[in-house]
Amino acid sequence: MVIDNRQYEAYLGTFYALMCGIAAYYCEFDPRIKSKCQFVISALWLGFVLAVSLMEAWVKFRAPLLKKYVAVDVGRHVFSALNLVESVFCLTLWVIGRDEVRKIPFVITSLMLLLQVLVVTPALNDRAKHLIVTTATTDVALRKEYGAYCDELRAELGGRKIPAAHWHIVYVAFEIIKSGLLGSVLLNM
């Protein structure tokens, strides 16, 4: 039986949306905490990017017992969840600071996140699905145990070609730049 991970991602998104919504609500009624909320949410966002993109992903692929297709599938789910949480943080910061003049680093970070969510992550997800489906055709044990899951991934691909490998470099570059920009935002608060 294949577990629908979108349900878990929805729970995760709902949790962070509620937490950020509460913060935004209190900022409306107590402007003294507005800058503190902005700082905490920005710091959390930076922490997520550093922990997931610049540590977890790198470490995961160096685990000698973890098969590549498993690491890729885990990464696919982790990065989709990361993009969701980042989007919640970004939207919350826009709501909290809507009356202020936007700082250039935050605007650039927001645009980069938008590009990641709409273009880069979907391309990397398709690459991951192709790798899993291709591995399933040669790995009998994988095909036997997770055949339905692999068929579902194949159907999601719908015959699309494998996106270019350069999307990994684009994603890493975006994460490094976003980290610097978020750091800049934090230092200027």
Side-chain angles (χ1 to χ4, degrees):
M1 181 174 119
V2 178
I3 298 171
D4 185 2
N5 288 304
R6 290 171 288 222
Q7 180 181 5
Y8 294 112
E9 288 176 16
Y11 292 149
L12 182 70
T14 301
F15 171 77
Y16 282 100
L18 283 171
M19 295 298 105
C20 289
I22 290 168
Y25 174 81
Y26 281 108
C27 287
E28 286 294 315
F29 295 103
D30 190 353
R32 297 172 296 163
I33 66 167
K34 186 176 190 173
S35 64
K36 292 175 186 170
C37 285
Q38 288 173 314
F39 183 85
V40 168
I41 293 169
S42 297
L44 281 171
W45 186 0
L46 177 60
F48 268 75
V49 170
L50 292 174
V52 174
S53 298
L54 303 179
M55 190 195 72
E56 179 273 341
W58 184 82
V59 170
K60 175 178 57 202
F61 284 101
R62 273 127 191 98
L65 298 178
L66 188 61
K67 293 187 178 190
K68 185 175 181 180
Y69 69 86
V70 174
V72 166
D73 197 38
V74 169
R76 190 170 73 84
H77 293 289
V78 168
F79 281 96
S80 291
L82 174 64
N83 284 167
L84 175 66
V85 172
E86 282 187 278
S87 297
V88 170
F89 290 156
C90 184
L91 288 171
T92 304
L93 290 169
W94 277 101
V95 168
I96 290 174
R98 68 182 175 274
D99 299 329
E100 300 172 6
V101 174
R102 287 282 151 214
K103 295 179 179 151
I104 295 298
F106 182 70
V107 172
I108 294 170
T109 304
S110 300
L111 292 173
M112 291 178 78
L113 176 61
L114 184 64
L115 283 172
Q116 279 182 302
V117 169
L118 297 177
V119 179
V120 183
T121 300
L124 291 175
N125 276 339
D126 280 357
R127 281 189 65 79
K129 290 173 189 176
H130 273 285
L131 180 107
I132 295 163
V133 168
T134 303
T135 303
T137 60
T138 58
D139 187 327
V140 177
L142 171 66
R143 184 78 190 146
K144 184 177 179 183
E145 190 168 350
Y146 296 103
Y149 180 62
C150 294
D151 290 342
E152 183 182 311
L153 294 178
R154 186 178 288 106
E156 287 176 14
L157 286 168
R160 290 190 303 273
K161 294 182 180 180
I162 301 173
H166 74 272
W167 289 113
H168 284 103
I169 296 167
V170 171
Y171 197 95
V172 171
F174 273 31
E175 293 300 82
I176 291 168
I177 294 167
K178 276 188 347 194
S179 296
L181 291 169
L182 285 168
S184 168
V185 167
L186 283 168
L187 290 174
N188 290 310
M189 285 188 162

